[in-house]
Amino acid sequence: MPPEGLIALRHSSFSADSIYPRPLDAYGWSAELDDHFRSVTDAPTVPGRVIRVDRGRCDVVIADGDSGVTVVHADTGPVADPDPMRLPCTGDWAAVSVGAAGTFVQALLPRRTAMVRSSASQRSEGQVLAANVDTIAVVVSLDTEPDLGRIERFLALAWESGAQPLMILTKSDLAEDADAVRETVEQAAPGVDVLIVSATSGEGMDILAAVLTGTSVLVGQSGAGKSTIANALLGRSAMEVQQTRSDGKGRHTTTTRELMPLPGGGVLIDTPGIRGVGMYDASEGLQQVFSEIEELAEDCRFRDCEHVAEPGCAVIEAIEDGMLQQRRLDSYRKLVRENQWMASRSDARLRQERLKALKTQGKEGMANMIAKRG
């Protein structure tokens, strides 16, 4: 389609009273996004959803006439930002300009939810894994012993995002006692539904398809079965699948986060396998994951109780009475410490950046003053 045709979509695909792009219904557009789109830019743009990001460019799905959609490859230069959390991410809604000079993401709409982890950067930065998500499905394979600590990490980030967490236990056809594993995982995931599925036998796949409405994202380690589950839900081989290594460790199959429409409605984001699941300002998420410890702590004698050896500690009493697992408390302490450390690092970085900005402004003001005197 020529550029002038795409620009015309700003008018042809919308009613007189709304800019609601009906063809984007399947990708999650709602009337609530109208005001956001109106306010982000004055440039002639069309709304679209980012379905893939790769090296300063991204694929964006936009309306194509009154009933269809098309995917454009857009440059993200206009929204470049030194803060990686402000860069376009799979799931973002964007204002896109299309013209003879090229296709550009001119602005990002405010995110409704965002799953964020600490990045590998030395600057204590956050990395957005997926934006505007309704359900975050943590995928764990039943062919190996579940890493409960890692599950708790994933769930803390999921709760913190504002989305609804979901646990998916895959490869049930390879498990000796899937129900026993589910009971163990449920203890590490209070308030979260835990589903047992197998893409091979079809067990639980109908329930999973019914649960994944709106925008859903699959997260987990490599080899957990995310791509296999995605292909089963999509009804086609959209994602490459590889066998798990002989040592039980997964192989990376998905290399980029990609958003795809589901046959039954809604959209699905498959993600690469995640090895590092660092905390990033996830205090509320941790409170959700360890809700039983938070409730017990309300009855501790001291408000600043660290649940180690303080007298009148309700958490320690619960462990002695067999009502709370020592493993849960150890994991809670570890993740809280990590989260506090990352928060302090982030605060220090922000202070440094503000100080640098003030110094720069001071130098510019002094230079202007000297120029005027001269």
Side-chain angles (χ1 to χ4, degrees), residues 92-206:
D92 271 327
W93 287 100
V96 182
S97 64
V98 183
T103 303
F104 298 90
V105 175
Q106 296 293 345
L108 298 178
L109 277 62
R111 290 166 177 157
R112 180 168 49 84
T113 62
M115 185 177 186
V116 182
R117 67 165 178 177
S118 63
S119 69
S121 168
Q122 297 299 315
R123 300 182 60 204
S124 307
E125 296 170 327
Q127 178 190 20
V128 183
L129 298 178
N132 300 307
V133 173
D134 299 293
T135 302
I136 296 176
V138 181
V139 182
V140 175
S141 175
L142 285 166
D143 64 349
T144 58
E145 186 74 18
D147 186 337
L148 299 180
R150 179 173 288 270
I151 288 173
E152 288 160 346
R153 284 174 174 271
F154 273 118
L155 292 177
L157 299 182
W159 281 118
E160 189 70 29
S161 75
Q164 175 64 46
L166 173 69
M167 286 298 309
I168 303 178
L169 306 183
T170 65
K171 305 180 184 181
S172 62
D173 52 301
L174 303 179
E176 295 182 1
D177 193 344
D179 288 330
V181 177
R182 175 167 57 186
E183 292 179 3
T184 300
V185 171
E186 285 176 341
Q187 294 176 5
V192 179
D193 290 332
V194 182
L195 302 181
I196 296 176
V197 305
S198 169
T200 301
S201 68
E203 179 186 1
M205 291 303 298
D206 55 341

Side-chain angles (χ1 to χ4, degrees), residues 211-272:
V211 169
L212 296 182
T213 59
T215 298
S216 303
V217 59
L218 303 178
V219 298
Q221 289 182 282
S222 297
K226 299 186 301 299
S227 295
T228 303
I229 292 294
N231 286 336
L233 291 169
L234 293 165
R236 56 191 175 89
S237 297
M239 311 305 297
E240 181 184 358
V241 176
Q242 295 183 11
Q243 295 297 320
T244 302
R245 285 163 32 181
S246 59
D247 59 3
K249 295 182 179 180
R251 302 176 186 268
H252 285 292
T253 52
T254 302
T255 56
T256 59
R257 291 178 284 277
E258 184 172 356
L259 182 149
M260 299 158 286
L262 292 168
V267 293
L268 181 70
I269 301 174
D270 190 20
T271 65

